[in-house]
C-alpha cells in the first residue's frame, strides 16, 4: 500500500512540473493596453455564438494587490467597477 501512495505523489509531482513549464505568468505594466474577459456572459445561453467576450480596450491605471489591476478607458475615464483579476486580462495587439 505504501508503494502506491509514493507512486501517486511521484506522478502528481511530474504532472505539476509539466503544468508549471507551460503556465505563463503575465505581468502588466502601467498604461499597457489590455482586453478584459466578460466572465458574466461566458456561460452557455448568456451570449450569442459569434458575440465577442473580450471587452475593451482599456489601460492599466494602477495595481491593487499581487494580481489585481484597476483599469481606465482609453480616453482617460475611470473604468466603472473595482479591481480586475489578472487572469481576466490579456494584452491588446493592434
Amino acid at each position: 500500500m505504501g508503494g502506491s501512495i509514493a507512486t501517486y505523489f511521484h506522478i502528481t509531482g511530474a504532472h505539476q512540473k509539466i503544468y508549471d513549464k507551460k503556465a505563463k505568468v503575465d505581468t502588466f505594466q502601467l498604461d499597457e493596453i489590455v482586453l478584459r474577459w466578460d466572465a458574466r456572459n461566458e456561460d452557455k445561453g448568456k451570449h450569442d455564438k459569434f458575440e465577442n467576450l473580450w471587452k475593451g480596450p482599456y489601460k492599466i491605471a494602477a495595481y491593487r494587490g499581487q494580481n489585481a489591476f484597476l483599469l481606465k478607458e482609453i480616453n482617460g475615464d475611470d473604468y466603472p467597477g473595482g479591481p480586475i483579476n489578472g487572469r481576466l486580462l490579456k494584452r491588446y495587439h493592434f
Side-chain angles (χ1 to χ4, degrees):
M1 185 82 172
S4 63
I5 292 174
T7 304
Y8 170 77
F9 285 115
H10 176 71
I11 291 171
T12 304
H15 285 252
Q16 185 66 37
K17 286 180 184 177
I18 292 169
Y19 174 79
D20 289 344
K21 283 183 187 178
K22 294 180 181 181
K24 296 178 184 173
V25 176
D26 274 332
T27 55
F28 298 105
Q29 305 299 322
L30 290 178
D31 290 331
E32 188 169 359
I33 299 175
V34 295
L35 296 174
R36 180 189 57 85
W37 179 253
D38 187 11
R40 285 189 228 164
N41 293 325
E42 74 178 319
D43 292 335
K44 188 175 183 178
K46 291 188 176 180
H47 61 87
D48 295 330
K49 183 174 182 176
F50 296 109
E51 187 175 347
N52 191 359
L53 292 178
W54 287 103
K55 305 299 180 187
Y58 302 102
K59 281 188 177 181
I60 302 288
Y63 297 107
R64 288 289 181 257
Q66 192 171 16
N67 197 28
F69 303 93
L70 288 179
L71 302 179
K72 64 181 176 182
E73 303 279 345
I74 293 295
N75 62 9
D77 296 340
D78 289 335
Y79 173 77
I84 305 294
N85 192 310
R87 293 183 302 111
L88 300 175
L89 300 175
K90 75 174 182 178
R91 285 183 177 76
Y92 178 67
H93 304 282
F94 52 98

